[in-house]
Amino acid sequence: MHKLFSLTLFIFSLIFISTPALAETSVKLTLPPASLAKWYKPENKRQVWLHTMFRLRRAMQAVNNYAIHNNQAGMQKWADKLNEDYEKIAEMIPEWKNEIKPRLLPELKMFIESNDIPRVKATLKMIKRTCNDCHETYQAQATAIYRSPEYDDIPVKNINGNISNFSDEMEALSISVNQILIALEDRQQSIALQASKNLKLQLNHLGESCNQCHKDEQAPYERILGSATMQRLQSLEDNILNKRIKESRKLMGEIGVTICARCHNTHRTLSDLREALVN
Ligand code: HEC
Ligand code: HEC
Ligand code: HEC
């Protein structure tokens, strides 16, 4: 009886302890107001929002530096710039009016006027807190939505040379990769060989799409699809032809890491996040 009771107690305590952890299985991502689009390409000629942000950070640093060196004129000059750009936040995005504290700027100027350095620094900290609060809630989403590339409209040729799209050709790449691995496992040499030729052709087609974004740049292409990759694909074919299963598998591992995973790390993760946010 006693045993049963302590077991029950044990189970209850498990449930009790693990309940709060279970409640934390989702995070909430707040979308920035849609009007932010106005301050980014393609709606705007420039990335206006981002450049306002860079100026804000510069002005904060300048005021802080001049405060450390007790340079009043320097503080005044940059506090004016800070003021101007800080007010622009709510002018550009009225929905974010309550995310900033404009009254802190006249206060900052007042403390600069009286050369009250400790208060200047304290006020800068309070301003900084408003920056951080907004960034915590919105920054990553805004970057993903307005500054990460879209792949939907990038044409990629399929294996027959017809125009297809990124998404379908990714599926096709995956099918070729797995076809090779299945055929290697089941010792079907001619199927493995054909699939490895398909993979090479598909990757060559994919390679033609890089310059849609990486204009006049050879380095990004070279890093992922350059001569090292072409050598691996060639030696994969040679190894399959010579029935060297172990070496072929090892090459497939290298191909997966140096082509697929390497490209996915910079392109796909952000693209998936963007898709999740905008759809
Ligand atoms: C440009 C660099 C790049 C390379 C190289 C690349 N991928 Fe992708 N892949 C992407 C991007 C970007 C996405 C997400 C975009 C999309 O799904 O339209 C993606 C998505 C995928 C998807 C998900 C498709 C979907 O629609 O859900 C699969 C599967 C995939 N890739 C397989 C591969 C395999 C296998 C390789 C290597 C043989 C590879 N990829 C090489 C960029 C790349
Ligand atoms: C009401 C919201 C909001 C406030 C307030 C705000 N920011 Fe931002 N900030 C953003 C968003 C959104 C981004 C993301 C922009 C992007 O990635 O294109 C950003 C990005 C930045 C970046 C770019 C970071 C990077 O390296 O890519 C800097 C720098 C920055 N903010 C500085 C500041 C400073 C300094 C302040 C305060 C004086 C401030 N911001 C206040 C919304 C805000
Ligand atoms: C839809 C646009 C887009 C396409 C298509 C695209 N990339 Fe990128 N790629 C980017 C962006 C944006 C970055 C990050 C910023 C930068 O480096 O320009 C990036 C970064 C990279 C990087 C890391 C940084 C560097 O410059 O070395 C490599 C490598 C790369 N891309 C290779 C490729 C290859 C290979 C292809 C074609 C198979 C490709 N990309 C296709 C947009 C694209």
Side-chain angles (χ1 to χ4, degrees), residues 7-23:
L7 183 69
T8 315
L9 198 68
F10 176 68
I11 291 171
F12 266 112
S13 69
L14 267 187
I15 292 170
F16 185 74
I17 292 165
S18 57
T19 305
L22 281 176

Side-chain angles (χ1 to χ4, degrees), residues 149-151 154 166 206-207 209-210 212-214 217 220-221 223-225 263 266-267:
E150 259 184 87
Y151 297 87
I154 308 282
F166 232 85
L206 183 67
S209 76
C210 312
Q212 295 266 340
C213 300
H214 299 286
E217 263 190 303
Y221 176 88
R223 170 88 175 125
I224 291 171
L225 295 172
C263 204
T266 40
H267 302 81

Side-chain angles (χ1 to χ4, degrees), residues 151-173 176 197-212 225:
Y151 297 87
D152 295 355
D153 302 329
I154 308 282
V156 184
K157 272 193 265 169
N158 67 14
I159 198 145
N160 303 315
N162 299 322
I163 294 301
S164 175
N165 59 60
F166 232 85
S167 188
D168 288 352
E169 290 322 295
M170 284 297 145
E171 293 290 355
L173 276 174
S176 295
K197 289 189 164 144
N198 291 352
L199 180 65
K200 189 162 77 180
L201 185 58
Q202 287 167 321
L203 286 170
N204 277 324
H205 286 159
L206 183 67
E208 290 164 11
S209 76
C210 312
N211 69 1
Q212 295 266 340
L225 295 172

Side-chain angles (χ1 to χ4, degrees), residues 101-263:
K101 294 191 176 134
R103 66 165 174 85
L104 290 173
L105 272 300
E107 282 177 27
L108 180 71
K109 278 174 145 181
M110 199 176 70
F111 297 135
I112 292 172
E113 212 67 44
S114 57
N115 227 4
D116 186 344
I117 304 294
R119 285 212 169 88
V120 167
K121 288 186 181 166
T123 311
L124 280 178
K125 268 201 186 131
M126 287 190 256
I127 297 172
K128 183 76 200 166
R129 203 168 301 144
T130 69
C131 317
N132 292 348
D133 284 348
C134 185
H135 293 161
E136 269 171 36
T137 320
Y138 296 107
Q139 183 172 1
Q141 297 89 300
T143 310
I145 295 171
Y146 297 110
R147 283 200 297 127
S148 75
E150 259 184 87
Y151 297 87
D152 295 355
D153 302 329
I154 308 282
V156 184
K157 272 193 265 169
N158 67 14
I159 198 145
N160 303 315
N162 299 322
I163 294 301
S164 175
N165 59 60
F166 232 85
S167 188
D168 288 352
E169 290 322 295
M170 284 297 145
E171 293 290 355
L173 276 174
S174 171
I175 288 170
S176 295
V177 165
N178 280 307
Q179 182 61 270
I180 297 169
L181 291 170
I182 293 166
L184 284 174
E185 162 110 21
D186 296 342
R187 309 289 190 268
Q188 294 162 332
Q189 187 194 29
S190 62
I191 294 180
L193 190 62
Q194 185 55 50
S196 74
K197 289 189 164 144
N198 291 352
L199 180 65
K200 189 162 77 180
L201 185 58
Q202 287 167 321
L203 286 170
N204 277 324
H205 286 159
L206 183 67
E208 290 164 11
S209 76
C210 312
N211 69 1
Q212 295 266 340
C213 300
H214 299 286
K215 296 204 162 56
D216 305 320
E217 263 190 303
Q218 205 47 39
Y221 176 88
E222 188 56 37
R223 170 88 175 125
I224 291 171
L225 295 172
S227 48
T229 286
M230 290 311 145
Q231 264 169 30
R232 275 200 188 94
L233 290 169
Q234 189 52 52
S235 84
L236 177 67
E237 275 184 41
D238 298 344
N239 277 299
I240 293 173
L241 264 176
N242 292 301
K243 298 195 170 159
R244 288 197 287 258
I245 308 287
K246 204 169 146 224
E247 286 85 346
S248 304
R249 281 198 173 135
K250 183 162 170 275
L251 279 163
M252 285 306 289
E254 289 172 13
I255 286 167
V257 171
T258 57
I259 307 176
C260 319
R262 192 172 277 168
C263 204

Side-chain angles (χ1 to χ4, degrees), residues 4-155:
L4 187 66
F5 176 74
S6 49
L7 183 69
T8 315
L9 198 68
F10 176 68
I11 291 171
F12 266 112
S13 69
L14 267 187
I15 292 170
F16 185 74
I17 292 165
S18 57
T19 305
L22 281 176
E24 300 287 333
T25 51
S26 67
V27 289
K28 187 161 161 268
L29 288 181
T30 313
L31 290 176
S35 55
L36 195 55
K38 267 198 299 212
W39 308 106
Y40 281 98
K41 292 176 190 171
E43 284 193 37
N44 206 296
K45 265 195 273 176
R46 293 174 55 245
Q47 309 287 63
V48 179
W49 181 267
L50 185 64
H51 288 287
T52 308
M53 292 293 131
F54 288 144
R55 284 199 306 275
L56 277 171
R57 180 160 62 187
R58 201 171 309 132
M60 292 283 285
Q61 183 176 328
V63 179
N64 195 45
N65 279 352
Y66 287 124
I68 290 166
H69 295 103
N70 216 336
N71 178 336
Q72 199 178 28
M75 285 190 282
Q76 266 158 347
K77 173 181 167 182
W78 287 93
D80 284 340
K81 288 178 183 284
L82 182 64
N83 188 17
E84 199 180 306
D85 281 320
Y86 196 69
E87 281 177 350
K88 272 193 202 145
I89 292 178
E91 284 166 25
M92 287 197 267
I93 310 291
E95 295 93 326
W96 273 345
K97 192 168 89 247
N98 296 327
E99 301 282 332
I100 59 168
K101 294 191 176 134
R103 66 165 174 85
L104 290 173
L105 272 300
E107 282 177 27
L108 180 71
K109 278 174 145 181
M110 199 176 70
F111 297 135
I112 292 172
E113 212 67 44
S114 57
N115 227 4
D116 186 344
I117 304 294
R119 285 212 169 88
V120 167
K121 288 186 181 166
T123 311
L124 280 178
K125 268 201 186 131
M126 287 190 256
I127 297 172
K128 183 76 200 166
R129 203 168 301 144
T130 69
C131 317
N132 292 348
D133 284 348
C134 185
H135 293 161
E136 269 171 36
T137 320
Y138 296 107
Q139 183 172 1
Q141 297 89 300
T143 310
I145 295 171
Y146 297 110
R147 283 200 297 127
S148 75
E150 259 184 87
Y151 297 87
D152 295 355
D153 302 329
I154 308 282

